[in-house]
Amino acid sequence: MLKNVTDTVFYVGVDDKNIDLFENQYIVPNGIAYNSYVIMDEKIAIMDMVDAKCADQWFANVAEVLGDRKPDYLVISHLEPDHSANLGDVLAKYPDIKIVSNAKLFGMLPNFFEVPVADRSVTVAEGQTLSLGSHTLQFFMAPMVHWPEVMVTYEQSEKILFSADAFGKFGTLDTDEDWACEARRYYFNIVGKYGMPAQALLKKAAGLDIQKICALHGPILTENLEYYIGKYQLWSTYTPEDEGIFIAYCSLHGNTEKAARKLAEILEAKGAPKVAISDLSRDDIAECIEDAFRYDRLVLAAPTYDGGVMPVMADFINHLKMKAYQKRKVAFIENGSWAPMAAKLMKEQMSAMKDIEIVDEHVTIRSAFKQSDVAALEALAGKLL
């Protein structure tokens, strides 16, 4: 898919519509875009590459833009294979090309490629520039957004930020959907742990006059950039985006589910601004993580299982911990036929996370969900509201 970003900057990335799991773990119903760009000037720069399975289309896109010219530079902002897998073939096809990146990336490069690059590398540091003619590239380090070698590039004349994985989203470029939903799921599951590094990058970006954002995944952002930057400001500070309650449940025989759904019904009747509910056994875990971060309150509902917590809930809580979940109010529903332990164990795990307000009074269901349990759910709803 060729596309003019400007008269001199061209999109040469590839939409992957055949992929089912991104990073072999995230469901991508609308595929993924591997974004790459070419800047045409006195000197030509290719900005990143694509996944190996899309190499043929990418090389064809690049060749169409270049015509009979050869590229001078290949800028690598992130070494993850979905953006760098074609390096060996690029070096073979364009023997005079120079690789532009930072010292950390060049130090990691032998982990992925057994190709000599010492005499073909241009090492750049924070704030350093590279002139292509009328275009000037300026480089800013963005370590741990979301790998340690990441950098972003600002093109000064056309005011374009090549933002690496920042501001990325799931979905191909021709997918017609709201940006925020899949960008939020992408952010919290892939970048989410690294809020402070993302904040550091936002502070650097605040000093630049940015008119376009070209990420490595997702659409080219050209309008209302304050909206996208504002979302990243919220997400990277772990500030709840919306007032509401997310109920995440798992259920062995349907009784814990009945309690969770009854709580949702009660909350809505009491005027809760938003109630979202998911079955951890069936729903996309990455979307559940997204909703847990989106709303300011969370309810975990799970049965006791082998003296612990049902495994799918244990896995969800582990995901929250890995992604630095914080700054929320959390309540609990447990089920147990003879020795209910789930609430105690879930409280212990959630209490260890940062700035978590625990609702001490939890609801215990004894096997089947009964009418007599409704009063406790009413009381829990009151605590949440």
Side-chain angles (χ1 to χ4, degrees):
M1 179 194 296
L2 294 179
K3 180 177 181 177
N4 284 49
V5 181
T6 70
D7 289 341
T8 53
V9 179
F10 299 87
Y11 177 87
V12 293
V14 181
D15 275 347
D16 185 354
K17 299 184 179 184
N18 297 316
I19 186 173
D20 60 338
L21 293 175
F22 181 73
E23 292 188 350
N24 269 328
Q25 57 181 322
Y26 301 114
I27 297 168
V28 281
N30 293 318
I32 193 80
Y34 302 116
N35 295 344
S36 172
Y37 310 87
V38 171
I39 303 174
M40 298 294 287
D41 205 327
E42 294 171 24
K43 301 284 188 179
I44 297 173
I46 299 174
M47 309 298 291
D48 294 292
M49 296 164 281
V50 301
D51 192 84
K53 61 180 174 291
C54 300
D56 290 346
Q57 183 61 58
W58 179 74
F59 274 110
N61 292 348
V62 172
E64 184 174 341
V65 171
L66 294 180
D68 58 0
R69 296 185 65 185
K70 302 293 183 185
D72 299 278
Y73 300 110
L74 170 64
V75 178
I76 305 178
S77 59
H78 181 24
L79 196 55
E80 205 164 4
D82 56 331
H83 307 299
S84 70
N86 319 118
L87 178 59
D89 291 335
V90 170
L91 295 178
K93 186 176 181 65
Y94 304 114
D96 295 325
I97 199 169
K98 298 288 187 182
I99 306 170
V100 180
S101 199
N102 59 81
K104 185 70 174 179
L105 186 142
F106 283 123
M108 291 174 61
L109 195 142
N111 294 350
F112 290 92
F113 302 100
E114 295 181 293
V115 293
V117 298
D119 61 341
R120 305 174 68 172
S121 61
V122 177
T123 303
V124 295
E126 180 74 21
Q128 195 168 339
T129 60
L130 175 67
S131 176
L132 304 179
S134 62
H135 295 81
T136 299
L137 305 182
Q138 187 172 18
F139 306 98
F140 297 93
M141 303 305 112
M144 299 318 300
V145 186
H146 61 121
W147 277 26
E149 87 303 357
V150 173
M151 70 179 190
V152 302
T153 303
Y154 178 64
E155 199 293 296
Q156 294 179 348
S157 67
E158 302 202 74
K159 300 177 172 50
I160 301 170
L161 181 68
F162 295 92
S163 62
D165 270 345
F167 301 101
K169 69 175 282 291
F170 295 125
T172 58
L173 257 66
D174 63 0
T175 299
D176 183 15
E177 65 183 359
D178 176 64
W179 177 86
C181 183
E182 285 293 71
R184 184 188 300 109
R185 188 166 72 98
Y186 178 94
Y187 176 85
F188 282 115
N189 284 279
I190 292 176
V191 186
K193 179 179 179 179
Y194 305 108
M196 290 183 65
Q199 276 285 293
L201 175 58
L202 287 174
K203 288 176 182 176
K204 294 178 184 181
L208 303 173
D209 180 8
I210 300 169
Q211 300 298 317
K212 292 180 174 63
I213 298 176
C214 291
L216 288 177
H217 297 293
I220 298 162
L221 306 177
T222 60
E223 297 177 348
N224 301 319
L225 297 188
E226 63 276 5
Y227 168 80
Y228 305 106
I229 293 170
K231 290 294 186 186
Y232 255 65
Q233 178 67 25
L234 281 175
W235 299 343
S236 62
T237 55
Y238 304 99
T239 303
E241 186 177 353
D242 291 315
E243 187 180 355
I245 300 158
F246 176 49
I247 303 172
Y249 73 87
C250 52
S251 190
L252 283 167
H253 302 292
N255 289 293
T256 309
E257 176 181 5
K258 289 177 183 177
R261 294 196 177 278
K262 184 61 178 180
L263 176 64
E265 179 186 311
I266 292 168
L267 288 166
E268 289 171 344
K270 288 180 177 290
K274 173 68 177 178
V275 181
I277 186 167
S278 288
D279 180 353
L280 296 176
S281 298
R282 291 176 172 80
D283 295 332
D284 174 23
I285 193 73
E287 194 162 324
C288 295
I289 294 296
E290 172 198 346
D291 280 342
F293 277 96
R294 179 174 183 173
Y295 300 110
D296 61 347
R297 283 154 286 179
L298 172 67
V299 178
L300 300 179
T304 302
Y305 188 88
D306 286 345
V309 181
M310 188 171 171
V312 69
M313 177 61 78
D315 183 52
F316 179 64
I317 292 173
N318 185 53
H319 273 76
L320 292 176
K321 180 180 178 182
M322 288 174 63
K323 303 305 178 183
Y325 189 73
Q326 56 189 271
K327 297 183 181 178
R328 268 72 175 173
K329 177 186 280 191
V330 184
F332 305 91
I333 299 171
E334 68 175 355
N335 197 336
S337 293
W338 58 90
M341 290 289 292
K344 175 179 181 293
L345 296 173
M346 290 189 291
K347 282 183 184 180
E348 288 174 355
Q349 294 174 76
M350 297 304 298
S351 296
M353 299 180 197
K354 184 179 179 181
D355 294 336
I356 296 295
E357 179 186 348
I358 299 294
V359 177
D360 287 332
E361 293 86 352
H362 62 267
V363 173
T364 299
I365 307 299
R366 289 283 187 170
S367 305
F369 177 67
K370 309 171 188 68
Q371 184 62 32
S372 57
D373 295 315
V374 173
L377 292 175
E378 294 271 3
L380 185 65
K383 296 281 185 181
L384 286 164
L385 295 172

